[in-house]
Amino acid sequence: MIFSLFRLLRVVLTLVGVAWTSCCSVYAAEIETAQNQETVNVIRNLLVATQPGMVINTISPSPIAGLYKVVIGNGQTIFVSEDAKFLIPGDMYQVRPEGLVNLGEGERNKVRKDILAGLDDSDMIIFAAHGESKAVLSVFTDVDCPYCRKLHEEIDQLNDYGITVRYLAFPRTGLESETYHKMVSTWCANNPRQAFTEAKMGKDIPEVSCENPVAEQYELGRQLGVTGTPALVFDDGTIVPGYIPADNLAQYLLE
């Protein structure tokens, strides 16, 4: 009987301990959340007061204690001390088994992915996959760029792999260049896909004009970090500059 009472007492004390620990853990989490929110408000107020044109996406604790991560409109990151007295622009790298991982680039990938997902397909020149579309590749391109032309020479091969290619305009010589006007004519043609392929082959295409997204896509590319062409943007928002052979692209996109 005494043994049973001791066992009962031990069980009761254990349950009380568990309940106390759970209660205090929740309470501590609530305090930490409140403190984080207070810090976030201080940082936001500082940035709004000193950088009124800055678009603030998120403010959250970084992996380093006492340092908060601010993601701004174009996906760039700023790290701010919790007392809001020190600001560090740039990326943070984390050591992982696979090597150094750029945490800032991960944020920019998310921004690019969301922006590209919201674009209207009718504003792009699209070469759809043959059969089932297994992956979508968005490409900022220039019709006069040699490596853009080399990539487009393999468009059928990419489509055969099941890869849909969406082209966006990025006249790398700017909005006053001959290439810009050529790309406007491409986007405004009666058959944009045909005009696009002909322009990529160096053929002359009829000069036409209409309401078009070429300038807007050029500015979007600059916002997303495009500096040259072709610029390949994968489904997850990862951006890779330069030409990649179709076989290698398929291996990466379809693995």
Side-chain angles (χ1 to χ4, degrees), residues 171 173-181 218:
T173 47
L175 299 182
E176 300 299 327
S177 64
E178 181 181 346
T179 298
Y180 165 75
H181 295 291
Y218 174 75

Side-chain angles (χ1 to χ4, degrees), residues 7-248:
R7 288 185 61 188
L8 177 62
L9 180 60
R10 186 168 60 184
V11 170
V12 170
L13 289 175
T14 300
L15 291 175
V16 169
V18 170
W20 184 86
T21 302
S22 300
C23 171
C24 290
S25 296
V26 171
Y27 181 62
E30 289 177 349
I31 291 176
E32 183 180 358
T33 301
Q35 289 174 340
N36 288 347
Q37 189 56 53
E38 182 179 351
T39 302
V40 166
N41 291 339
V42 170
I43 293 172
R44 184 179 298 277
N45 291 339
L46 170 72
L47 293 176
V48 169
T50 59
Q51 306 293 330
M54 179 182 289
V55 177
I56 301 172
N57 289 343
T58 60
I59 302 175
S60 59
S62 80
I64 299 178
L67 204 61
Y68 278 69
K69 177 179 66 178
V70 181
V71 180
I72 59 178
N74 60 357
Q76 298 296 318
T77 51
I78 300 172
F79 294 94
V80 184
S81 61
E82 61 185 355
D83 60 5
K85 292 183 178 179
F86 298 92
L87 284 76
I88 308 170
D91 291 337
M92 178 183 293
Y93 289 79
Q94 184 178 29
V95 180
R96 294 182 182 174
E98 64 270 27
L100 289 177
V101 176
N102 186 332
L103 302 181
E105 187 63 17
E107 294 291 344
R108 289 190 287 277
N109 288 349
K110 294 176 186 176
V111 171
R112 283 190 287 262
K113 178 181 177 180
D114 291 344
I115 290 176
L116 291 177
L119 296 179
D120 190 338
D121 282 356
S122 65
D123 286 335
M124 293 177 268
I125 295 178
I126 298 177
F127 289 79
H130 299 157
E132 178 190 358
S133 182
K134 300 174 184 176
V136 177
L137 177 67
S138 300
V139 181
F140 285 90
T141 192
D142 176 319
V143 293
D144 290 327
C145 153
Y147 282 102
C148 297
R149 290 179 171 181
K150 188 171 180 62
L151 178 68
H152 192 64
E153 287 174 2
E154 300 176 1
I155 193 68
D156 283 335
Q157 191 176 346
L158 289 168
N159 292 160
D160 285 341
Y161 272 119
I163 299 169
T164 293
V165 179
R166 310 191 310 170
Y167 282 114
L168 297 99
F170 193 87
R172 56 202 168 99
T173 47
L175 299 182
E176 300 299 327
S177 64
E178 181 181 346
T179 298
Y180 165 75
H181 295 291
K182 189 182 299 185
M183 296 189 78
V184 167
S185 294
T186 300
W187 255 255
C188 292
N190 290 330
N191 187 335
R193 281 164 46 98
Q194 180 180 339
F196 183 85
T197 297
E198 291 179 353
K200 288 280 189 179
M201 295 170 66
K203 295 181 179 180
D204 292 331
I205 60 174
E207 186 174 338
V208 292
S209 183
C210 67
E211 185 176 345
N212 66 84
V214 173
E216 184 178 344
Q217 290 178 3
Y218 174 75
E219 294 299 337
L220 174 63
R222 294 179 62 188
Q223 176 188 339
L224 298 184
V226 176
T227 56
T229 54
L232 316 179
V233 188
F234 301 146
D235 280 334
D236 64 354
T238 299
I239 188 167
V240 177
Y243 162 77
I244 298 177
D247 290 339
N248 294 3

